[in-house]
Amino acid sequence: MRHDPLAFLGDELGGLKAQGLYRHLRVLDDEQAARTRVDGRSVVNLSSNNYLGLTTHPALKKKALAALEQFGVGTGSVRTIAGTMQIHVELERRLAEFKKTEAAVVFQSGFAANAGTVAALLTKDDFVISDELNHASIIDGARLSRASIKVFPHRNVKAAAEIVRDLPKAGRKLLITDGVFSMDGDLGALPALCDVAEEHGLIMMVDDAHASGVFGENGRGTVDHFGLHGRVDVQVGTLSKAIGALGGYVAGNRNLIDFLQHRGRPFLFSTSHPPSVTATCLAALDVLAEEPQLIQTLWRNTKVFKDGLRALGFNTGASESPITPIIVGDAGKAMQLSDRLFVEGVFAQGIGFPTVARDKARVRTIVTATHTQADLQFALDIFARVGRELDLI
Ligand SMILES: Cc1ncc(COP(=O)(O)O)c(C=O)c1O
C-alpha cells in the first residue's frame, strides 16, 4: 500500500480533539438572519457579522438581481485585464466619498485587502509596528512583505512609541491597528497612535473591518468616529460584514490607490467580483445614508445585551462595540458553553487558540439591528441558565 504522506495530519487533528479545539462546521439551513435554522435547529443567531441585517435587505437583493440580469454572473477576468466594469469603478468612487478620501480600491475580501496592502507597501528593509491582537490578515501581509515585524502589547501606545524610537532611521515604517478588535470588541488606540505616527513620520493604517457600518457618521468607521480624517494614511474596510455582501477595500490618497492597482497582488492576480456583489455593495451604501435608524437600533440592542450579560455576572472583557465576548479561559469549557447554548436555541460560537490566546477561550456574541427585544431576552435567559449550570456565574 502507498505510504500516506499526509498521515501527520491525523496526528494534528487528534491533538485538536484532545484539547477540545476540534470543530464541526455549523451549517445554516436558512438565510443569514437574527433568527434562523442551523443544523436543523431554530436558533437566535449571535454569531454573524451581519450587523445591520443587510444580507437580506430587499433593496440590496433587488439591485443584485438587476445587475445579474444585466451583466451576468461573473466577470471572467482579473481587474487589470478585462475584469473592470463601470459598476466596479462606481463602487470605488462611492467608497472614497463614504470614507472622505481621494480614492478607493476594492479587493476580493477584507483579508485580501489587508494582506495585499501590507505586502505591497513594505519590503525586507522595512518595519511593521503592529498591535498584538491585530487580525491574521495583517500578520500574514506583514510576513509576506518580509519586513521586520515589531509587535506591541494590546493598545499599549507607550510601548509602540518605544519600539519606534529604537528603530533605525532608514526604512519605511507602518504603524497598524484594528479599528475594532474582532474577538474582544474593544477599539484600537487610534487617536494616540496617530500622534505617534505623526511625530515619527510613520505610515498610519487602520483595519476597520468591524467598524465600517457601525461607528462614525452613517457608519464611516473609527477614523470618522474619532475625528481623524486626513490623519490615517490607509483605511481598510470590508464589504462582507455590515455591508452584507463580500469584499474589502482600501481608501486613501490617489497615489496609494494607484500604487495598489499596480502592486496589490490579490487585485492583480485574482478575478474581480461578480457584478451582483458590486451592485449589492452600492445599494448598501445607499441604505447607510438613507436608513440611519439601523445603526441606532444596532447600538440600542448592543446596550441591552451587553448590560444584560454583565448584570448576570459574565466576564465580558473590555468590549465597546456590538461584539461581546464571554471569556471563559479553558477551550474545552468555552466549547461546552457554546454547545449547551446551541442545544437551548442560542447560536454563539466558541473560539479558542489560535484565534485567541490559549488561556482566553471564549464564546463570542454579536448582536445586530435585526434582533428583537424578545430575541435578546430569550438569549439572556438561556445564558443565565447555562452559565449557572457550568458554574460560570
Ligand atoms: C479585523 C478583521 N479584519 C479583516 C477581516 C477579513 O475580512 P473578510 O471576511 O472580508 O475577508 C476580518 C474578518 O474576517 C476581521 O475580523
Side-chain angles (χ1 to χ4, degrees):
M1 219 176 69
R2 181 176 170 258
H3 161 73
D4 177 7
L6 294 177
F8 68 96
L9 296 179
D11 299 338
E12 298 267 347
L13 291 167
L16 290 180
K17 284 176 186 160
Q19 295 169 67
L21 287 170
Y22 184 86
R23 303 301 285 165
H24 291 282
L25 298 179
R26 293 256 184 239
V27 180
L28 274 72
D29 305 310
D30 204 344
E31 63 187 25
Q32 184 62 263
R35 256 188 197 270
T36 187
R37 288 187 70 75
V38 180
D39 287 341
R41 197 177 287 276
S42 173
V43 290
V44 169
N45 180 4
L46 295 173
S47 288
S48 156
N49 302 309
N50 182 26
Y51 290 104
L52 303 175
L54 297 195
T55 55
T56 51
H57 193 290
L60 275 65
K61 293 207 285 195
K62 195 165 157 213
K63 286 282 168 55
L65 283 170
L68 192 145
E69 286 293 349
Q70 189 177 357
F71 301 116
V73 297
T75 66
S77 173
V78 298
R79 287 286 302 273
T80 48
I81 298 184
T84 298
M85 293 177 163
Q86 270 304 338
I87 198 169
H88 296 119
V89 177
E90 174 61 6
L91 177 60
E92 288 171 342
R93 190 189 67 72
R94 289 284 305 279
L95 286 168
E97 201 176 86
F98 178 60
K99 289 285 175 171
K100 301 191 175 174
T101 57
E102 279 178 16
V105 58
V106 171
F107 285 77
Q108 295 79 358
S109 67
F111 195 108
N114 271 329
T117 299
V118 175
L121 289 177
L122 303 174
T123 71
K124 65 176 176 36
D125 302 321
D126 302 327
F127 302 90
V128 189
I129 306 102
S130 177
D131 187 291
E132 67 177 331
L133 295 188
N134 277 345
H135 191 255
S137 51
I138 293 172
I139 298 168
D140 287 7
R143 289 176 179 159
L144 279 170
S145 76
R146 295 184 296 146
S148 303
I149 303 171
K150 307 285 178 188
V151 174
F152 59 90
H154 185 46
R155 301 186 78 250
N156 189 334
V157 179
K158 198 160 161 273
E162 273 160 23
I163 289 172
V164 173
R165 259 179 234 118
D166 288 345
L167 293 179
K169 281 262 171 302
R172 301 171 198 162
K173 294 164 189 105
L174 177 72
L175 181 57
I176 181 160
T177 182
D178 280 3
V180 173
F181 288 87
S182 56
M183 293 300 140
D184 291 84
D186 54 346
L187 292 176
L190 196 55
L193 289 174
C194 281
D195 293 341
V196 174
E198 278 160 18
E199 189 185 340
H200 297 276
L202 318 177
I203 306 164
M204 184 72 231
M205 175 165 169
V206 68
D207 168 14
D208 252 355
H210 287 275
S212 298
V214 176
F215 282 87
E217 184 201 10
N218 297 101
R220 285 182 164 74
T222 55
V223 172
D224 188 84
H225 172 75
F226 286 121
L228 298 170
H229 288 291
R231 298 184 63 194
V232 177
D233 305 292
V234 187
Q235 294 186 54
V236 167
T238 60
L239 301 165
S240 30
K241 302 189 193 300
I243 297 294
L246 178 69
Y249 57 94
V250 181
N253 73 19
R254 171 64 57 195
N255 275 347
L256 171 71
I257 302 312
D258 274 357
F259 179 79
L260 290 174
Q261 289 188 350
H262 288 83
R263 289 288 179 272
R265 289 173 72 83
F267 183 86
L268 293 166
F269 296 113
S270 185
T271 295
S272 54
H273 278 166
S276 53
V277 168
T278 307
T280 306
C281 298
L282 277 164
L285 291 177
D286 291 339
V287 169
L288 287 183
E290 289 160 12
E291 300 182 36
Q293 70 276 14
L294 284 176
I295 296 179
Q296 287 158 12
T297 308
L298 170 66
W299 281 104
R300 247 198 332 272
N301 285 351
T302 296
K303 180 163 170 33
V304 167
F305 195 64
K306 215 184 276 297
D307 286 353
L309 286 173
R310 285 178 182 157
L312 286 171
F314 284 106
N315 175 4
T316 59
S319 167
E320 303 162 78
S321 74
I323 299 171
T324 307
I326 291 93
I327 299 169
V328 171
D330 174 67
K333 191 105 187 202
M335 299 311 164
Q336 199 186 359
L337 172 61
S338 174
D339 289 344
R340 280 291 299 122
L341 291 167
F342 187 72
V343 168
E344 299 292 334
V346 173
F347 179 30
Q349 275 286 15
I351 313 240
F353 185 80
T355 310
V356 296
R358 281 187 200 280
D359 60 343
K360 294 265 172 61
R362 66 200 57 194
V363 162
R364 184 181 67 154
T365 64
I366 303 182
V367 299
T368 70
T370 48
H371 284 101
T372 62
Q373 294 311 299
D375 293 335
L376 299 178
Q377 195 51 56
F378 172 83
L380 286 171
D381 290 345
I382 302 291
F383 262 99
R385 175 143 35 98
V386 175
R388 283 186 199 112
E389 180 188 306
L390 298 180
D391 269 340
L392 292 168
I393 51 174

